[in-house]
Amino acid sequence: MRPKKGNLQKNDIRIIPLSECLAKTVRSNSGKKPGVSVETHCRIVGFIAKELLCRFPKWLRESLFPEGSELVAAAHDVGKMSPAFQEKIHKDIGKILGLIDPDQDKNIGYHSAVSQATVNEKSNRYIPEILGRHHGYNSPGINQPDSKVYGGSTWQKQRMELLESLKKVRTAVR
């Protein structure tokens, strides 16, 4: 999953493998340890959303939740696959990746802004905003999905690959 050095574009920041992109950390007696990956976290959230939707009466589900709603839930944290978030979360477990200043995560509007930018051009107008506001507030500014602050085109490509993977594993609730 790691591009060759010659394949990096001008705005690209070296990526880390999808399996090493952390979504969470876990507290232990000896400090914080790596938790689940972004991919695992997104899949779990999607499956939980699907299960909850199945518990609604069909008429209510069809009225309020369009087909694919579980995929939107699953995609909420694709923005955690950004160099600033990964640098920040890995720093929490004592590992320095050397990709970017971890404080950039705050400056770019956190991972929710990256999630919003990731799908901004590829989906209807409401889905990006749902992803961008999943913590209850709007990000101050959204950059292009392949901008350097989000990691460049290689990070965007990896986020899109994750979205495609999430689409494949979901099955319609209907």
Side-chain angles (χ1 to χ4, degrees), residues 72-126:
V72 176
H76 80 288
D77 271 348
V78 296
K80 286 185 174 182
M81 289 177 45
S82 69
F85 183 86
Q86 290 306 310
E87 196 72 68
K88 181 178 79 170
I89 199 164
H90 279 84
K91 183 180 175 186
D92 282 351
I93 60 169
K95 184 176 179 182
I96 304 300
L97 298 174
L99 302 172
I100 195 170
D101 178 359
D103 291 336
Q104 284 297 316
D105 193 49
K106 179 181 180 183
N107 298 338
I108 62 174
Y110 302 102
H111 70 275
S112 55
V114 183
S115 294
Q116 182 172 349
T118 297
V119 302
N120 223 2
E121 299 168 352
K122 304 273 186 205
S123 59
N124 80 39
R125 66 182 193 164
Y126 298 111

Side-chain angles (χ1 to χ4, degrees), residues 25-38:
T25 57
V26 177
R27 291 186 195 273
S28 71
N29 292 337
S30 58
K32 289 185 179 180
K33 301 186 313 188
V36 298
S37 70
V38 174

